[in-house]
Amino acid sequence: ACEGILCDIGMPVLHKSVLYNCRVYVTGHTVLLIRPKLFLCDDGNYREGRHFTPWSQLNRTEDFTLPASVAAVARGQPLPEETLLMMGP
C-alpha cells in the first residue's frame, strides 16, 4: 500500500535489548531509515520514559537487522547498505 509513497511510521524498535521509540521511514516493501527519539515526553499526560530509552549516541549510525517477521513482509530482502539506525539530530 506504500508503493511510490514515503511513509513515516512511529513504532517501538528493540535494538541490542533496549526498547526505543522510533520513526521508521518506509517506501513500498523497503525500510529506508530507523530514527530513535533523542528526547522523550515525560510531563503532563505523557510518560514515555516508563517504556522507552532515549537515544544517547549523537552523530553515530549503527547497522540494524530486521526481525524475521518484518523481513518476511519486506519480501525477505536484507536492508540496503544505506539503511541505518540513525543516531543524532
Side-chain angles (χ1 to χ4, degrees):
C2 293
E3 294 299 329
I5 300 171
L6 176 63
C7 297
D8 175 4
I9 303 164
M11 63 185 294
V13 173
L14 188 64
H15 179 61
K16 296 183 178 177
S17 300
V18 180
L19 191 62
Y20 297 99
N21 189 359
C22 296
R23 308 305 301 179
V24 179
Y25 297 93
V26 179
T27 185
H29 290 265
T30 304
V31 177
L32 301 174
L33 179 74
I34 301 170
R35 185 181 190 283
K37 287 178 83 173
L38 301 173
F39 304 100
L40 302 177
C41 294
D42 277 321
D43 60 349
N45 292 329
Y46 303 100
R47 297 284 181 257
E48 287 184 308
R50 280 191 264 178
H51 307 287
F52 301 107
T53 300
W55 188 262
S56 61
Q57 301 177 44
L58 299 176
N59 301 316
R60 279 195 49 207
T61 57
E62 290 187 13
D63 293 327
F64 180 77
T65 302
L66 288 176
S69 58
V70 176
V73 174
R75 298 182 182 154
Q77 300 171 353
L79 289 174
E81 276 186 37
E82 63 276 5
T83 304
L84 300 168
L85 181 65
M86 180 180 171
M87 297 82 186

